[in-house]
Amino acid sequence: MAQLGHNDASFLRLLMMLLLFGIWFLSNNNNISSVEAKNAYATMMYVGTSRDYEFYIAIRVMLKSLARLKVDADLVVIASIDVHNRWVRALEEEDNAKVVRVENLDNPYKHQDNFDKRFQLSLNKLYAWSLVEYDRVVMLDADNLFLQKTDELFQCGQFCAIFINPCVFHTGLFVLQPSTAVFEDMVNELQNGRENPDGADQGFIASYFPDLLDKPMFHPTLNGSKLDGTYRLPLGYQMDASYYYLKLRWSIPCGPNSVITFPGAPWLKPWYWWSWPVLPLGLQWHEQRRKTLGYGAEMAVILIQSTVYLGILITTRLTRPSLSKLCYRRSDKSIGMMQNSLKLLALWSILAAYLTPFFIIPQTIHPILGWLLYLFGTFALCSIAINAFLLPMLPVLVPWFGIAGALMVMAFPWYSDGVVRALFVFGYAFCVAPILWAAMVRIMAGLQVSLEREGFMPRLGESSPPSWLNKLY
């Protein structure tokens, strides 16, 4: 009996300890939830445009730059179900991102007069509100460049965004608290045709939160607690690159200079090789890519193109063919038509020599390598026109030297501000324009002289020109 009483007492003590632990757990449940709550940096990806690969690369660079900053949050990609599986595997396995596959939201505004087809699937951004496993989400566009860690944004309220436009906040970066109710209400508003000025995510979200301009400015709390409500974010969390291009330096005192965004012309996004030195900040984006993702995907194409251009140079120097020798004149009437046709062909070949390399170079290669390959390619293709039509070399290459000079003028690093830089560029163009015109006149004159030589276009039935004349060609 004594032994039984001792066991009963031990059991009662154990039961009491479990009861006390249960009371402690319930009383501290809110604190435990706040510690275990997760946050995420999220972006979206969809396909169906000519720029899918460029945005895939941009998203990967942004994710790797966030990982490099050791952010305390998950990296999430909201990807439509038609995104290539190979890209999804790369995001998951190489970038340690969580990919959430979603159905494309139908865009009811696609028939508006001002609708841009590039944004037909941009309403997929609304899926950010469905990520209810996270307490806060920072939703991002692919054209953001992070300069420093921004985890304090997770302290913001239910919705926070930045006014880079004086009157309309920008949806390239905003903070939200996921909510199934909000997401379902947004989808319902889509179906009901809520007013949307641009037919894209920007116009819809701005109309859904119309009073943000009157809300207080967000300032991180010292104890790290999360705020409730809606807030405006300081401009330093999404600095428009246009400010830099005006000053050629950052001068934004209101808030941390943490994130650069590139909301300008779509074909001057920083990942395109030609964006630098037209827009100087493109080099900073590519420096981020060099340190994180690298350029292995494009190097094979670069090596192949370089080999082809080298082969063209060697071939044209060794053979020096002349297309004009393949033509014969039948009458005085037909010779004028033939000469005009050859002139037109020569001009088109020169134009093609300057345009073709631009379109076949991988668009997301490093700008310095891209411009070097462009100059090499144009030089090689110009040699075809020079040797085929026996044109003077220097006039044909005047645009080549002009482009190289323009790159050096734009890349000059010691301009005091963007206005001075623009004036130098315009001044350079003004000085070079007469030289280009003189080169064009010289090309036409040289082509006319070559075509009028008897050795180029012998009359049918006449004897061939002397052998000593053929040696000139």
Side-chain angles (χ1 to χ4, degrees):
M1 291 294 293
Q3 182 66 30
L4 183 60
H6 177 72
N7 289 339
D8 288 344
S10 298
F11 177 76
L12 288 174
R13 283 197 298 269
L14 178 61
L15 186 61
M16 184 64 68
M17 291 176 63
L18 290 175
L19 181 60
L20 291 173
F21 176 78
I23 295 173
W24 174 85
F25 178 83
L26 291 175
S27 63
N28 292 277
N29 185 48
N30 292 335
N31 293 334
I32 292 176
S33 298
S34 63
V35 171
E36 293 181 350
K38 297 170 64 178
N39 303 308
Y41 288 96
T43 187
M44 68 172 175
M45 176 185 293
Y46 53 83
V47 296
T49 71
S50 60
R51 306 169 66 198
D52 293 341
Y53 178 75
E54 289 83 45
F55 277 93
Y56 161 69
I57 292 295
I59 287 172
R60 293 197 63 189
V61 171
M62 183 176 67
L63 293 177
K64 285 187 175 292
S65 66
L66 284 168
R68 192 165 175 263
L69 291 172
K70 296 180 172 57
V71 296
D72 187 19
D74 284 352
L75 304 178
V76 178
V77 178
I78 302 171
S80 59
I81 57 174
D82 49 356
V83 171
H84 310 303
N85 290 329
R86 177 170 54 87
W87 291 0
V88 171
R89 287 195 300 270
L91 291 167
E92 292 177 335
E93 298 172 5
E94 300 178 28
D95 303 330
N96 296 319
K98 179 182 177 181
V99 179
V100 179
R101 305 302 291 268
V102 298
E103 293 279 354
N104 291 321
L105 288 176
D106 182 56
N107 193 321
Y109 310 103
K110 56 190 174 184
H111 300 299
Q112 289 184 179
D113 293 336
N114 63 336
F115 182 72
D116 191 333
K117 292 183 179 180
R118 293 184 295 124
F119 304 124
Q120 182 164 341
L121 299 178
S122 65
L123 291 173
N124 286 358
K125 188 177 289 186
L126 303 184
Y127 277 110
W129 274 270
S130 70
L131 302 176
V132 292
E133 63 270 34
Y134 298 105
D135 189 35
R136 293 289 190 276
V137 172
V138 175
M139 190 64 192
L140 303 164
D141 281 350
D143 58 351
N144 284 307
L145 178 62
F146 280 77
L147 303 181
Q148 60 185 17
K149 192 173 179 179
T150 58
D151 285 356
E152 68 274 9
L153 286 173
F154 297 121
Q155 299 178 26
C156 204
Q158 279 67 44
F159 184 79
C160 310
I162 303 164
F163 284 81
I164 63 175
N165 178 302
C167 300
V168 181
F169 63 83
H170 192 243
T171 58
L173 182 152
F174 59 89
V175 185
L176 65 108
Q177 182 179 19
S179 167
T180 301
V182 173
F183 174 68
E184 291 177 350
D185 185 60
M186 285 181 163
V187 174
N188 184 61
E189 289 292 319
L190 281 178
Q191 297 171 350
N192 292 336
R194 170 185 280 273
E195 183 180 357
N196 187 343
D198 58 10
D201 63 288
Q202 172 72 56
F204 180 84
I205 297 175
S207 69
Y208 197 86
F209 298 95
D211 301 324
L212 189 66
L213 186 61
D214 300 323
K215 301 301 180 180
M217 186 71 70
F218 164 72
H219 297 288
T221 58
L222 296 178
N223 60 4
S225 61
K226 291 180 170 60
L227 303 175
D228 289 322
T230 55
Y231 292 86
R232 291 179 291 121
L233 293 176
L235 188 61
Y237 284 113
Q238 198 178 25
M239 300 177 290
D240 188 341
S242 303
Y243 290 105
Y244 179 88
Y245 299 142
L246 181 62
K247 299 287 187 180
L248 289 183
R249 61 184 180 277
W250 291 119
S251 180
I252 300 179
C254 50
N257 293 340
S258 301
V259 187
I260 305 172
T261 189
F262 300 84
W267 289 107
L268 285 176
K269 292 296 185 181
W271 48 82
Y272 295 124
W273 62 266
W274 59 80
S275 69
W276 180 87
V278 180
L279 301 180
L281 286 176
L283 205 59
Q284 291 193 27
W285 187 93
H286 279 277
E287 183 63 15
Q288 286 274 13
R289 177 178 179 178
R290 186 188 65 81
K291 293 178 179 178
T292 55
L293 188 62
Y295 295 91
E298 291 93 347
M299 290 311 298
V301 178
I302 296 298
L303 291 175
I304 292 173
Q305 290 189 21
S306 301
T307 303
V308 170
Y309 293 147
L310 183 60
I312 290 174
L313 279 176
I314 294 173
T315 302
T316 53
R317 289 299 299 169
L318 291 178
T319 59
R320 292 183 61 83
S322 176
L323 294 179
S324 300
K325 290 183 179 180
L326 301 177
C327 303
Y328 295 87
R329 65 185 185 186
R330 297 178 181 274
S331 65
D332 292 336
K333 181 178 180 180
S334 63
I335 187 173
M337 183 181 298
M338 183 65 68
Q339 288 182 351
N340 291 332
S341 299
L342 285 173
K343 289 179 182 178
L344 186 61
L345 180 61
L347 294 178
W348 274 108
S349 66
I350 295 173
L351 182 62
Y354 283 98
L355 293 180
T356 301
F358 185 87
F359 290 103
I360 64 176
I361 294 173
Q363 295 176 335
T364 54
I365 197 63
H366 194 280
I368 293 178
L369 185 57
W371 281 113
L372 288 175
L373 186 61
Y374 172 78
L375 293 174
F376 184 38
T378 54
F379 184 84
L381 296 180
C382 280
S383 69
I384 297 177
I386 291 170
N387 290 287
F389 297 97
L390 297 184
L391 298 175
M393 177 179 290
L394 186 58
V396 174
L397 292 179
V398 162
W400 190 93
F401 288 107
I403 293 172
L407 293 176
M408 288 188 287
V409 170
M410 286 188 287
F412 185 73
W414 294 291
Y415 294 116
S416 59
D417 54 55
V419 175
V420 174
R421 180 177 184 265
L423 290 175
F424 267 86
V425 172
F426 284 125
Y428 174 83
F430 180 80
C431 294
V432 169
I435 301 176
L436 288 175
W437 178 257
M440 179 65 68
V441 173
R442 179 70 182 86
I443 290 171
M444 297 302 296
L447 185 61
Q448 182 66 30
V449 171
S450 298
L451 292 176
E452 289 178 350
R453 290 174 180 171
E454 189 68 20
F456 268 90
M457 305 180 71
R459 296 179 184 275
L460 291 178
E462 291 185 356
S463 60
S464 300
S467 60
W468 61 267
L469 185 60
N470 288 335
K471 293 180 180 180
L472 295 176
Y473 309 108

